[in-house]
Amino acid sequence: MLRAPATPTLKLILGLGLCSLGGAMLYAYFKNKDEEEELEGGGTDRISEKPKEVTIKMIVTNDCIPLIVGRNGANLKIIEEKTGVRIRFREADNNNQQCEIRGTVKGVADARLMLLKDIQRSPIVKEEMFVPHSVYTKIIGRCGECLRDICRTSMAKVSVESGDRIESKHPRRIDISGTKAQVNLAKKLIEDKMREDEELRREFSETESKREPRRSPTNSMTSLSSSQTSLASIYPQKEKLPFGDVGEKPMEVYVSAIASPAKFWLQLIGPQTKKLDELVTEMTSYYNEKENQEYHKIDDPYLGQIVAALFKYDGKWYRAQIVGILPNEYNPTDVVLDLYFVDYGDSEYVSPHDVYELRTDFLTLRFQAIECYLANVKPNLSTDLENWDQQAVSKFEELTQVASWKKLISRVVTYKARPKGGNHIRREGSPLPGVELYDPSEGVEVNIGHMLISHGFAEPDVPVNDAVLRLGGGGSSSPVEFTGSNNNLHHHNGNGVHKHTQNFINSEAGVLS
């Protein structure tokens, strides 16, 4: 007979089973809940991921900081709230602050735009400054290039006073308008030009004090009659100088050689002046060494060759071109070389024993002599414009102090066709610049052509239109440029003039106006 289990045991078994079942259900419930929360949490992280931040930096002048920050920082807070960026300033230097903008790409771009608008809203100011006439020409630059650079860099409007071109002693007024920061930057750039000019003038003074007269006017005139040949240059011309409108922009020059008022040579006063003196010093030191003479000995000289030649009047060595090879009347087995000194314009008969090959690095500097003629005058004793009597030539040499390095002012006022015929090669028809020369030594620019007329050595001359190339007629200028060894005449549409005026060969290009 079966007996029923005891009640307490049954209750225990049922209790344990129910507890196990409840625990399993609770475990499954909380596990599923944790998984759901984990999934929900991961999705939230992806949804709330922050956009990438960027940082840009910009330089702001101290003058603009109050405009950007505003009263008690109010304007800066508005920009930060609208764009969601953070803006901080750090000192960059004494005159500028570095503005750092950090935030989203869009926010940073918007904030930068708002800052620039605030800067541009700065009040417009107008200021004027006065500069010496010598700096005035440098501020304008070739075809106005330097003036445009100042305007582009500063974002200010800069205008230069025009005036009588003869009043070169009078300072020129420069008007500047823009924001305070723009005006200050433009003034700084102009002041930099003034400092550069002062430094150059100091160097020129040192150079002038060291220069010795190259030769006496009598010797200059005699020797110049020898060379009447010129050959086109095949040598590189690397340096370029600025140019200006014909008749408008004066240039300081030396008269380095004279044949007559119808044919003389100028050297431009500028950085190249010091370079030329340094070149002569280096060449003299180099070619005075016997071993260097042996190394550069010329066995077979030829026409057009650029050489190093000893100038016996001062014992120095100069660059020269062989323009003639003549028989030696004292020694039939020998020859005499007719040399044209490319940096001075004078000429000399020289023995081949005093001529050597030119070291190639001595060709870097452009040839400095520029052939010209005195404009608006003619000889009073001859109908031939090229035929000046010796007394007139001597007076012209006296007034210009030829090769004694007297500073004169030169302006190109016209051009004429180069005389044809003779032995000129590839130079026929290339224009010669006609210049007016002024002596500024008495505080007033004295026209040397007028002095020749007043002393009875010349008469006024009105150029014939078909014989003269005039620029700037009718109130407008027709810019020209002589470029390269082929000496082509190029016209430009700019406001300036390119004039690679040259001597017998492809000489130094420079400002004559």
Side-chain angles (χ1 to χ4, degrees):
M1 182 173 154
L2 296 173
R3 293 178 60 187
T7 300
T9 305
L10 181 60
K11 291 180 178 180
L12 179 61
I13 294 172
L14 290 173
L16 291 172
L18 291 172
C19 287
S20 301
L21 180 61
M25 293 177 65
L26 287 172
Y27 172 79
Y29 171 78
F30 285 113
K31 182 178 180 182
N32 291 336
K33 186 177 180 180
D34 290 340
E35 290 176 354
E36 290 175 359
E37 288 178 352
E38 187 174 331
L39 289 173
E40 291 175 358
T44 301
D45 291 341
R46 285 191 294 272
I47 294 172
S48 62
E49 183 178 352
K50 294 182 180 180
K52 183 179 180 181
E53 288 190 344
V54 296
T55 302
I56 66 169
K57 298 177 182 179
M58 55 189 292
I59 299 297
V60 180
T61 60
N62 292 341
D63 295 336
C64 295
I65 296 299
L67 297 169
I68 294 174
V69 176
R71 193 179 189 88
N72 297 324
N75 190 58
L76 194 63
K77 291 177 182 177
I78 292 174
I79 296 176
E80 289 180 329
E81 290 173 0
K82 285 185 176 181
T83 60
V85 302
R86 297 185 301 279
I87 302 175
R88 299 291 181 268
F89 290 95
R90 294 184 177 86
E91 184 176 353
D93 53 48
N94 293 335
N95 300 315
N96 300 284
Q97 297 282 328
Q98 179 177 277
C99 177
E100 185 177 292
I101 309 173
R102 183 176 180 81
T104 64
V105 174
K106 184 178 184 306
V108 167
D110 292 343
R112 180 178 179 277
L113 185 60
M114 294 175 71
L115 290 176
L116 291 176
K117 286 182 178 179
D118 285 336
I119 294 173
Q120 291 172 357
R121 283 205 307 268
S122 301
I124 300 299
V125 297
K126 295 182 179 180
E127 294 190 20
E128 64 179 29
M129 60 188 302
F130 291 87
V131 300
H133 191 276
S134 59
V135 184
Y136 151 79
T137 58
K138 293 179 175 62
I139 291 172
I140 293 178
R142 169 185 165 184
C143 303
E145 181 179 335
C146 186
L147 185 62
R148 287 195 295 271
D149 286 341
I150 293 175
C151 293
R152 279 195 297 265
T153 303
S154 65
M155 300 300 292
K157 181 180 179 181
V158 182
S159 58
V160 181
E161 173 194 32
S162 60
D164 186 353
R165 63 184 177 87
I166 300 300
E167 297 178 355
S168 62
K169 294 293 182 183
H170 293 194
R172 295 296 183 98
R173 188 184 77 246
I174 298 179
D175 297 312
I176 310 171
S177 61
T179 67
K180 185 65 176 176
Q182 292 169 347
V183 169
N184 287 342
L185 180 55
K187 289 173 65 177
K188 180 181 180 300
L189 294 173
I190 293 171
E191 289 167 355
D192 289 343
K193 292 290 182 184
M194 295 174 67
R195 281 191 292 271
E196 290 175 9
D197 182 71
E198 290 177 2
E199 179 64 23
L200 283 175
R201 290 189 174 276
R202 185 186 63 78
E203 293 181 358
F204 296 160
S205 298
E206 293 176 357
T207 300
E208 284 181 332
S209 64
K210 296 176 182 178
R211 274 200 166 194
E212 299 176 353
R214 180 167 162 82
R215 63 161 78 211
S216 67
T218 302
N219 288 331
S220 174
M221 184 62 199
T222 302
S223 64
L224 276 167
S225 63
S226 65
S227 289
Q228 299 300 321
T229 304
S230 67
L231 301 177
S233 174
I234 60 172
Y235 297 94
Q237 306 294 322
K238 297 181 180 179
E239 181 182 337
K240 289 188 177 182
L241 298 177
F243 301 88
D245 292 338
V246 168
E248 287 299 324
K249 193 174 289 186
M251 196 63 198
E252 294 178 335
V253 298
Y254 298 128
V255 176
S256 57
I258 289 177
S260 74
K263 192 189 191 81
F264 60 93
W265 288 263
L266 301 179
Q267 281 184 359
L268 302 172
I269 300 177
Q272 67 276 17
T273 307
K274 183 178 180 181
K275 292 179 181 177
L276 176 59
D277 291 345
E278 292 172 347
L279 175 65
V280 171
T281 300
E282 185 178 357
M283 287 179 59
T284 300
S285 174
Y286 181 80
Y287 286 103
N288 278 339
E289 298 289 336
K290 291 294 183 181
E291 59 184 34
N292 292 331
Q293 293 180 9
E294 281 297 321
Y295 180 75
H296 293 283
K297 185 178 180 181
I298 298 178
D299 295 323
D300 188 17
Y302 57 89
L303 286 177
Q305 185 177 10
I306 303 297
V307 297
L310 175 63
F311 193 66
K312 291 188 175 180
Y313 288 95
D314 57 18
K316 296 180 181 179
W317 291 78
Y318 298 92
R319 301 187 298 183
Q321 184 181 35
I322 300 175
V323 294
I325 302 177
L326 309 173
N328 189 335
E329 59 183 32
Y330 301 105
N331 184 359
T333 62
D334 201 0
V335 296
V336 173
L337 301 180
D338 188 4
L339 297 185
Y340 167 74
F341 291 91
V342 296
D343 296 307
Y344 297 87
D346 48 9
S347 302
E348 195 68 66
Y349 291 123
V350 176
S351 167
H353 304 294
D354 293 328
V355 172
Y356 297 92
E357 287 183 350
L358 188 68
R359 217 171 68 187
T360 54
D361 58 308
F362 289 150
L363 280 169
T364 303
L365 183 67
R366 286 172 173 263
F367 302 148
Q368 298 292 302
I370 302 171
E371 184 183 344
C372 306
Y373 72 96
L374 195 62
N376 302 328
V377 295
K378 63 181 179 180
N380 61 352
L381 299 178
S382 173
T383 56
D384 183 0
L385 298 181
E386 305 295 323
N387 185 16
W388 290 76
D389 65 276
Q390 183 57 46
Q391 287 184 326
V393 174
S394 298
K395 188 63 178 179
F396 185 51
E397 292 176 335
E398 176 190 333
L399 293 172
T400 59
Q401 294 188 26
V402 56
S404 294
W405 317 124
K406 176 183 176 63
K407 186 183 298 181
L408 301 176
I409 303 297
S410 170
R411 291 183 179 88
V412 172
V413 295
T414 185
Y415 286 89
K416 73 175 182 180
R418 186 181 296 270
K420 295 183 179 182
N423 294 324
H424 292 278
I425 300 176
R426 295 182 60 190
R427 299 286 297 169
E428 294 186 357
S430 58
L432 281 174
V435 302
E436 290 179 347
L437 293 177
Y438 298 86
D439 182 357
S441 58
E442 300 298 327
V444 190
E445 291 186 357
V446 178
N447 189 313
I448 290 178
H450 293 174
M451 293 293 291
L452 286 176
I453 294 172
S454 66
H455 284 84
F457 295 106
E459 296 178 355
D461 179 43
V462 178
V464 181
N465 290 335
D466 60 358
V468 179
L469 239 79
R470 279 199 174 274
L471 302 182
S476 62
S477 62
S478 177
V480 298
E481 175 184 7
F482 299 94
T483 59
S485 59
N486 58 2
N487 303 305
N488 291 327
L489 180 66
H490 301 286
H491 287 263
H492 292 277
N493 294 324
N495 294 324
V497 176
H498 256 173
K499 300 179 295 295
H500 280 232
T501 52
Q502 299 177 319
N503 47 39
F504 283 125
I505 60 174
N506 203 15
S507 69
E508 165 63 25
V511 185
L512 289 180
S513 56

